[in-house]
Amino acid sequence: MGKAAAGTYEWLYQEFTDDVGETWLCACFVQRVSPDEALRRIGVVPGSPLEGEGFGVAAYRAEGGTVLIEYGWGAVVYHRAGVLSKGSVAAAVNVTIEGADFTFHRDGNLITTFSLYSGGESDCLEGDVTDLGLHVGGDATDDPTSAALALSERATGVHFSPAAYARTALIGSTEHLFPYW
């Protein structure tokens, strides 16, 4: 697939990047788990109204599983990727002005985690990391967010398309989860 594959999630990256180039995106790809089950696993009641500051999670049915997109800054889906991976696999990306991180879990166990900018260990995904230009030693691609989302797809086998994102998502509030994790 090569480095060009990293651009396949440029559309999602741009959706969560403002006019001054700041990105606020927290997404988790979960294999073979339905949207309602994914929300239940992280303690979010499907259909609960977004209250207060409107913090919540949208669960989208995707090819091969579910993609969770979080609204707010709590990083619930990032910090609960282990719970989401029980009996499955989950990969999460959290990008804010404070940092950008990737984590991968299998059957509730942390397999690897690293910063998109300062690096870390990624032995089990090293081929894909290199292929996507996510050199975790600090020599990252110009677009590490799109590349990390593409890595999430490769690690989980869950494909998220613009058409899936355009469909109605199952949404629930995360307000009750403070301090979030």
Side-chain angles (χ1 to χ4, degrees):
M1 291 177 87
K3 289 183 183 178
T8 61
Y9 284 96
E10 177 73 17
W11 64 271
L12 185 58
Y13 162 65
Q14 290 301 325
E15 183 73 22
F16 290 87
T17 301
D18 65 19
D19 293 339
V20 294
E22 292 181 358
T23 302
W24 292 84
L25 172 62
C26 187
C28 187
F29 291 53
V30 188
Q31 184 184 70
R32 296 184 319 270
V33 173
S34 68
D36 59 331
E37 173 63 13
L39 290 178
R40 187 194 65 72
R41 287 183 183 192
I42 61 172
V44 172
V45 177
S48 57
L50 301 185
E51 300 173 9
E53 295 190 45
F55 291 178
V57 174
Y60 295 88
R61 186 169 305 283
E63 184 180 325
T66 294
V67 173
L68 301 166
I69 304 288
E70 187 166 345
Y71 296 90
W73 58 76
V76 172
V77 299
Y78 182 83
H79 292 289
R80 295 195 175 175
V83 172
L84 286 162
S85 75
K86 297 272 185 185
S88 185
V89 294
V93 176
N94 186 42
V95 178
T96 69
I97 59 171
E98 295 177 0
D101 301 294
F102 174 88
T103 190
F104 177 62
H105 296 259
R106 180 181 295 123
D107 198 23
N109 298 303
L110 175 63
I111 303 302
T112 190
T113 188
F114 56 87
S115 167
L116 301 182
Y117 297 114
S118 62
E121 297 297 320
S122 65
D123 293 341
C124 69
L125 301 172
E126 191 60 42
D128 288 324
V129 166
T130 300
D131 189 41
L132 292 167
L134 274 172
H135 302 290
V136 296
D139 297 329
T141 177
D142 290 338
D143 187 5
T145 302
S146 293
L149 292 165
L151 180 61
S152 296
E153 176 180 318
R154 288 185 184 192
T156 63
V158 175
H159 174 70
F160 193 45
S161 67
Y165 182 67
R167 290 192 295 258
T168 301
L170 190 56
I171 297 173
S173 174
T174 57
E175 290 281 336
H176 65 289
L177 296 175
F178 186 78
Y180 297 113
W181 62 94

